[in-house]
Each structure stands twice: as structure tokens, then as C-alpha cells.
């Protein structure tokens, strides 16, 4: 199936990502491009939205808490980590996604704005995500009071996957994880054909992925081989929370997302995984412009909701 026509039009409109390398001179351009995708959208109505902060390892972590309409009794809580290659993305760029997540799953959503590279390379972004997830888990009654999940798209899906592994190791209860087009193997030690097949022409290029990974790791190739950056390299997947994983046919990251779904399933984890034809990396951000992205988003959120029912 070819790229959906609506996606083709968006690719022509927005063009490729800013030029490499991703240094301080280009960071704001990347961040502005992420915000531009969310401009002019009519916010999805939810019960309430409140900005706040949670305690973190280097000070307060900004969060935005979304509460669903008509909540009567406990509802699930989803801790959401935004994408953006660990250098871009924020609460505003992903506001429409988290509003829809709140509405469709009928859950309290705690969106986390973690520290970003290059100012704050690994492990700072992950440390903030872990701190926020632990805080919510320890104060669940302040949020939905029901079952708990972590979720994210792209780089945020990477940190969500690592968070689920850490929660397993810490024996913290976690009921589900939603991973949208996750980068799971930044090591360069395994072959993932989609990085070549879809390496150019679909907004996110393989060259950009490698550069963003380098920036996230602070230029340390050894860090990229840690499972805390490359969760596919984790030594054991048993006992990890049920997973909902969405990948895109024309995404350079398609095959490592699929490999992660297979690794979890092989370890006995409940996994829903689908590769969506006609779509590219970042489709959660495109659901209002792309019918196929809308359908994919609806299915992923419905699968998450099913795993969060009491």
C-alpha cells in the first residue's frame, strides 16, 4: 500500500527535518517545527486540564494533568512521555494527543515534560520520566485511583518502554504500556532493514535518527548499547507490563518496534502489535489531518483502554 495521500500532502508541506548536525544552533528550529504541527487545532474537550510540577532529581518536572469528563469513581491513570527525539517536543506540541488519550481511554493523563538534550543528555530525560512515573504510582489516589499505565510516542515510547522494565525490576505494579513507533535499538549492533528501506523521503530519516541518538547519549557510543537507551537489548523481558505497540509501514523505526513486540510476546507478555499500512513516523500527531492516522490512533487507544479496565 502506498503512503496515504493525506500524508503525502503533509510531507510536501512540511518538508524534511532541519539540517544536521543537531547542535544548539538547530535545536530551536527542531522544537519550533514540532510546535508548528500542533498549531491551529481546536482543543479536544476533556473534563479539566491543569498545569503543575512533580519533584524530580534536578528540581521540579513540569506536568500537565488531564481529567476526563463524567468520572464517577476510580479511573485509570496514564503517565505520558512526549516524543521529539529527546531534543524537541513539549506539553504544547502533544496537547491534542494527550487530550484524545484522556477522552478515548477515559483516564487521567499526566503528561511529563522531561529535560531534553543537548542541554541535558542521557540519563537526565529518563531520570525525569522515572521520577514522575514513580511519584504518580505512589500517589495514585491523587490522580485516577485506578489502574496505571505508561505511554509515549517515538522518543517518549522509548522512555516508556524503559520505565516499564525498571518498574518490573523494582516490583512496582504497572498494568499496561502504550508504545507508538518506539526506537528500541540504538546500538547499531543488529540489522533492521526498515532503517534502509525507509531511510529517506518520509520526514524522519535514518541519518537524523542516528544523529538524535548520538545527541541523546551525549556522544558516548557505549551508552547506546545500554538497555536503558536500547530496551531491545534488555537481558530479560519476563514479567513486563502488557504492551500495545503501533508501528508504521514507512517508518525507519518499523522493524525495531516489531522486534520489541516479538521479544515481549516470546517472554509471555500480553502484546497487541500492528504495523499500519500507508503511514509514517509520527502518525499520532496527524490524526486530524489523516484518516488512516485517525483510525490507527483510535485502535491503539482502544487497545490500551481494554487493558486498563478494572
Amino acid at each position: 500500500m502506498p503512503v496515504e495521500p493525506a500524508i503525502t500532502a503533509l510531507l510536501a508541506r512540511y518538508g524534511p527535518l532541519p539540517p544536521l548536525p543537531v547542535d544548539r544552533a538547530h535545536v530551536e528550529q527542531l522544537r519550533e517545527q514540532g510546535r508548528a504541527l500542533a498549531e491551529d487545532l481546536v482543543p479536544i474537550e476533556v473534563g479539566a486540564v491543569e498545569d503543575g510540577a512533580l519533584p524530580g532529581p534536578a528540581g521540579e518536572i513540569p506536568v500537565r494533568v488531564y481529567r476526563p469528563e463524567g468520572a464517577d469513581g476510580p479511573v485509570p491513570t496514564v503517565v505520558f512521555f512526549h516524543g521529539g527525539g529527546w531534543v524537541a517536543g513539549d506539553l504544547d506540541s502533544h496537547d491534542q494527543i494527550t487530550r484524545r488519550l484522556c477522552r478515548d481511554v477515559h483516564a487521567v493523563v499526566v503528561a511529563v515534560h522531561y529535560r531534553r538534550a543537548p542541554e541535558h543528555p542521557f540519563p537526565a530525560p529518563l531520570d525525569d520520566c522515572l521520577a514522575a512515573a514513580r511519584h504518580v504510582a505512589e500517589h495514585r489516589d491523587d490522580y485516577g485511583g485506578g489502574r496505571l499505565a505508561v505511554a509515549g510516542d517515538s522518543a517518549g515510547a522509548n522512555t516508556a518502554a524503559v520505565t516499564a522494565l525498571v518498574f518490573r525490576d523494582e516490583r512496582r505494579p504497572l498494568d499496561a504500556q502504550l508504545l507508538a513507533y518506539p526506537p528500541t535499538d540504538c546500538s547499531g549492533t543488529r540489522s533492521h532493514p526498515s532503517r534502509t528501506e525507509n531511510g529517506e523521503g518520509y520526514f524522519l530519516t535514518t541519518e537524523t535518527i542516528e544523529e538524535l541518538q548520538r545527541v541523546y547519549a551525549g556522544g558516548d557510543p557505549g551508552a547506546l548499547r545500554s538497555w536503558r537507551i536500547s530496551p531491545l537489548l534488555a537481558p530479560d523481558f519476563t514479567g513486563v507490563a502488557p504492551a500495545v505497540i503501533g508501528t508504521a509501514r514507512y517508518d525507519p523505526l518499523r522493524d525495531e518496534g516489531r522486534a520489541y513486540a516479538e521479544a515481549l510476546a516470546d517472554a509471555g507478555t500480553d502484546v497487541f502489535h500492528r504495523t499500519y499500512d500507508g503511514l509514517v513516523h509520527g502518525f499520532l500527531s496527524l490524526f486530524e489531518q489523516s484518516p488512516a492516522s485517525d483510525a490507527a490512533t483510535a485502535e491503539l487507544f482502544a487497545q490500551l483502554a481494554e487493558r486498563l479496565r478494572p
Side-chain angles (χ1 to χ4, degrees), residues 33-90:
Q33 193 165 46
R35 288 189 291 265
L37 288 170
E39 288 179 354
D40 302 323
L41 298 178
V42 178
I44 292 171
E45 290 292 331
V46 296
V49 180
E50 181 180 4
D51 287 345
L54 299 179
E60 292 188 332
I61 304 169
V63 297
R64 184 169 294 165
V65 180
Y66 303 79
R67 298 184 183 274
E69 293 183 341
D72 183 16
V75 297
T77 299
V78 181
V79 183
F80 181 87
F81 309 129
H82 63 74
W86 302 283
V87 306
D90 55 31

Side-chain angles (χ1 to χ4, degrees), residues 24 59 86-87 184 227 255:
R24 293 183 187 276
W86 302 283
V87 306
T184 66
W227 65 265
D255 289 348

Side-chain angles (χ1 to χ4, degrees), residues 18-308:
L20 301 173
V22 178
D23 54 24
R24 293 183 187 276
H26 295 120
V27 163
E28 189 50 43
Q29 189 177 358
L30 278 169
R31 293 172 181 171
E32 179 56 36
Q33 193 165 46
R35 288 189 291 265
L37 288 170
E39 288 179 354
D40 302 323
L41 298 178
V42 178
I44 292 171
E45 290 292 331
V46 296
V49 180
E50 181 180 4
D51 287 345
L54 299 179
E60 292 188 332
I61 304 169
V63 297
R64 184 169 294 165
V65 180
Y66 303 79
R67 298 184 183 274
E69 293 183 341
D72 183 16
V75 297
T77 299
V78 181
V79 183
F80 181 87
F81 309 129
H82 63 74
W86 302 283
V87 306
D90 55 31
L91 300 178
D92 292 332
S93 68
H94 285 63
D95 182 69
Q96 197 75 334
I97 295 173
T98 41
R99 284 174 176 271
R100 179 166 180 175
L101 183 63
C102 172
R103 184 195 69 186
D104 288 10
V105 180
H106 196 68
V108 172
V109 175
V110 182
V112 179
H113 184 42
Y114 48 86
R115 287 172 291 165
R116 299 171 296 181
E119 299 95 330
H120 305 286
F122 176 84
L126 176 61
D127 286 347
D128 283 359
C129 292
L130 287 171
R134 288 172 178 138
H135 179 90
V136 173
E138 292 164 4
H139 299 82
R140 197 177 302 200
D141 289 344
D142 294 339
Y143 300 97
R147 307 191 84 188
L148 178 66
V150 292
D153 72 313
S154 193
N158 171 278
T159 53
V162 175
T163 298
L165 288 166
V166 171
F167 268 45
R168 185 273 315 270
D169 293 344
E170 294 177 348
R171 303 194 179 200
R172 293 177 181 268
L174 186 68
D175 298 295
Q177 55 181 315
L178 168 65
L179 313 177
Y181 32 89
T184 66
D185 183 7
C186 307
S187 68
T189 61
R190 302 186 185 188
S191 174
H192 302 290
S194 60
R195 287 214 179 193
T196 300
E197 294 171 11
N198 302 325
E200 294 184 4
Y202 303 110
F203 188 65
L204 179 65
T205 68
T206 297
E207 185 182 16
T208 299
I209 292 168
E210 293 173 351
E211 174 66 2
L212 291 170
Q213 291 171 174
R214 182 192 68 80
V215 172
Y216 178 42
D220 178 8
L224 294 173
R225 294 188 288 274
S226 165
W227 65 265
R228 289 184 171 234
I229 288 182
S230 298
L232 187 59
L233 304 187
D236 179 25
F237 297 101
T238 57
V240 180
V244 176
I245 301 176
T247 52
R249 169 65 182 84
Y250 295 102
D251 184 355
L253 300 178
R254 179 196 67 211
D255 289 348
E256 60 201 80
R258 179 182 296 163
Y260 198 67
E262 292 172 352
L264 293 180
D266 288 346
T269 298
D270 166 32
V271 178
F272 170 87
H273 168 248
R274 193 180 306 283
T275 295
Y276 292 98
D277 289 337
L279 296 187
V280 299
H281 188 85
F283 62 77
L284 285 192
S285 296
L286 307 177
F287 68 78
E288 295 202 321
Q289 298 101 328
S290 155
S293 296
D294 180 61
T297 301
E299 181 172 56
L300 292 174
F301 288 2
Q303 288 290 330
L304 179 62
E306 180 177 322
R307 285 156 179 80
L308 293 177

